[in-house]
Amino acid sequence: MSLVKVGVIGIGNMGRSHAKNLNQGDVKGAILTAVCDASEQQLEWAKNNLTNEIEIYQDEDKFLNEADIDAIIIATPHYFHPTTAMIAFAKGIHVMLEKPAGTYAKNVKEMNDLAMESDVVFSMMYNQRTNPLFQKLRKMIHSGELGEIRRTNWIITDWYRSQSYYDSSKWRATWDGEGGGVLLNQAPHQLDLWQWTTGLMPKKVRAFASLGKYHDIEVEDDVTAYVEYENGATGVFITSTGEAPGTNRFEITGDRGKIVVENNKLTFFRLTESEREFNKVDKTGFGRPECWEIEIPVTGDYPGHLGVLQNWIDAIQNGTPLLAPGIEGIKGLEISNAIYLSAWLGEMVELPVDPDLYLEKLREKIRLSTFQKEEVTNVTLDVEKSH
Amino acid sequence: MSLVKVGVIGIGNMGRSHAKNLNQGDVKGAILTAVCDASEQQLEWAKNNLTNEIEIYQDEDKFLNEADIDAIIIATPHYFHPTTAMIAFAKGIHVMLEKPAGTYAKNVKEMNDLAMESDVVFSMMYNQRTNPLFQKLRKMIHSGELGEIRRTNWIITDWYRSQSYYDSSKWRATWDGEGGGVLLNQAPHQLDLWQWTTGLMPKKVRAFASLGKYHDIEVEDDVTAYVEYENGATGVFITSTGEAPGTNRFEITGDRGKIVVENNKLTFFRLTESEREFNKVDKTGFGRPECWEIEIPVTGDYPGHLGVLQNWIDAIQNGTPLLAPGIEGIKGLEISNAIYLSAWLGEMVELPVDPDLYLEKLREKIRLSTFQKEEVTNVTLDVEKSH
């Protein structure tokens, strides 16, 4: 098959990184043919940094109608994700969508419905699914090594961002421009991995979010969420952009022990028997099941963004199964929508939350917003330091 | 000064350990003179295991009125703690109280009021305050090394107990006999250290408790609590007796980094500048304050129960300051009362919770209890494996 012609829409921090990779020929079977951005400044970058033959568009309609593209990468601000993706589906254009899938579940559901009716290859840019650590974790859990899950706990507070990050563009960290803060911008990876590795979606959420706790922003930069699962397991998810050095520690407890993922290591505390069984037969009161601490070897590359792009191109060309099917983007988003709604209402909510109620509350936030960004530098930040 | 004559009331798991230590002469300046227990079985143990001159009482009044004692250790079931302590205070008898201070704050407040009016030396058996790890942690936080605290997180789930533990006596893990589960029996140490090391009491609590999740009991054996502090910091406390091997990891984040206490190690991730300052001056968006990972040397013995006993005797004899003043027992109890009340009401509560409301709700639990212990073995368990 000939090369897949790829266009990139939105060439801010992430989009220009994808565009560069494609333009350098880093993705086999694909070629960058066009880019699109509403901002003159970004187009200027494209002119100066991409090879000559790349078409450059400022208007999205024109880009989608006229550019020589088989496939697009959508890296625009979150609100635009589903709208652009749906137009692409209708035109038979394959889609790679940057996270999050959208800002609210209502139109992401619509997007998914259309995706399923179309023949395009639709993938989410969940680059952390290519991390062999999480692939191994998922494999272990799904193979039953850990037994039934009882508790999950993710402290993911190492997304440190200084005020300058939020001042770098007008849309960032506003209800109107981004629809949220750390939950929509930084944590979507972990919200996805949380459910993808365990195979469990929370049923209930009670969450607490602090708005502009560490930064001069109107959205949340610090969140604690408690969840309950269908099987009675519970979980906690903590995230923040205000802590340094922060922590990234994911602990999952099951009937056969626990697994801790931290510092790029996967440690399995493996019980030699089921805890439920031991509980019944032990007569000593203080006895404990035998436990082996095992550092699980994790091998393989971590191809990251490039890996997901390659997988998507391979899927288009050869039908390779997708690592991150686009329609799975709604899962992490449903968790974050529930976290927001619980925090806003100050009560426990059940998943999935009413998408209309969520949208109504989000619109209320936008309508009532009085926040004015004092200083907008409109700089494009070096994304190499991001995840 | 002559030896302090000590009586022990309640010679179950913990009480007999204290009695043995005193009887062996392990506590300098003190001598065991009497023990008291309502149970024939325990008295039988005393006859067979303690030296001949020890007076043995079955009746508490007689013990407090007639025994040759200057001081007592109270190691009876929790409900009896304040009552016995108050009688002792009135008689000028020094008191060492096993944790928790009581089951509900109402009478613990009364106990504290009487203690302050009396001249006796009143201490709590917070043996974990003698752990050099927590002493060092407290020192570091109080000296300002960590800066203002922003988040606390304690996962303390390594109190594994099998069903046989709960079957070992009738009072255990019942609303009527113990007034609660893991929060009142195992976690009081950490509930105390959580506030003692940080110097912070939560202002608000929203908690979730599962009753008999892992055991055939009517009280909680699994708890997740979210707290908010006066200064805007948040925290999470997770405890359970159903997880193996469980976790004991205490993380505290501040303006100058974070401290993690785990695996008997104290690790300080020290920022070379204030995060608040860095946040303002950094212009790179993704920059991070410089951080040094330091394993803090922790030296000194961990004398545990014996250390607290010795400190109490030294306070009686020489006026040595108490490591765990008895009136501080209410702090951890107020946190656990708030956790229970929040879980029962299904809402956020403010500390301190209304002590009358708490007692009313607790009495309701007792009144409505239909739980029948099927099998009570009435065995005394080997406490060596406990904390």
Side-chain angles (χ1 to χ4, degrees), chain B residues 15-168:
Chain B
R16 66 170 63 174
S17 164
H18 298 318
K20 271 197 289 191
N21 285 334
L22 284 160
N23 199 212
Q24 285 163 202
D26 292 343
V27 184
K28 277 181 208 124
I31 181 173
L32 181 73
T33 53
V35 294
C36 175
D37 203 296
S39 143
E40 290 284 0
Q41 197 191 350
Q42 310 289 28
L43 298 179
E44 201 54 42
W45 172 86
K47 279 175 206 155
N48 296 330
N49 291 276
L50 300 174
T51 46
N52 281 337
E53 67 273 21
I54 310 301
E55 300 174 54
I56 294 181
Y57 292 87
Q58 189 162 21
D59 180 81
E60 176 171 339
D61 286 344
K62 266 195 153 168
F63 167 72
L64 291 168
N65 285 316
E66 299 175 13
D68 183 21
I69 47 178
D70 305 315
I72 57 169
I73 300 173
I74 302 176
T76 48
H78 324 321
Y79 273 109
F80 304 116
H81 291 182
T83 324
T84 306
M86 288 190 280
I87 299 171
F89 297 159
K91 293 181 178 297
I93 297 172
H94 306 292
V95 171
M96 170 62 74
L97 193 56
E98 261 296 342
K99 48 86 203 168
T103 306
Y104 50 92
K106 194 178 162 73
N107 63 352
V108 172
K109 270 180 203 294
E110 287 169 33
M111 173 178 75
N112 281 356
D113 289 345
L114 288 178
M116 285 187 287
E117 285 166 20
S118 83
D119 288 328
V120 304
V121 177
F122 172 36
S123 177
M124 280 295 301
M125 180 46 80
Y126 279 144
N127 49 297
Q128 298 210 10
R129 284 198 188 184
T130 68
N131 187 337
L133 211 53
F134 293 110
Q135 294 193 337
K136 185 72 180 174
L137 173 65
R138 181 170 192 261
K139 216 171 193 172
M140 286 178 67
I141 292 173
H142 286 248
S143 74
E145 274 285 355
L146 191 59
E148 189 174 6
I149 289 178
R150 279 100 167 277
R151 205 165 50 73
T152 67
N153 186 287
W154 206 329
I155 305 176
I156 168 69
T157 51
D158 69 346
W159 304 114
Y160 187 72
R161 298 291 184 268
S162 67
Q163 184 62 37
S164 58
Y165 170 83
Y166 293 106
D167 294 341
S168 70

Side-chain angles (χ1 to χ4, degrees), chain A residues 158 160 247 258 275 288, chain B residues 158 160 162 247 258 275 288:
Chain A
D158 68 347
Y160 186 72
T247 292
K258 72 171 177 176
E275 183 282 319
R288 288 164 187 233
Chain B
D158 69 346
Y160 187 72
S162 67
T247 292
K258 70 171 179 176
E275 183 283 319
R288 290 165 184 231

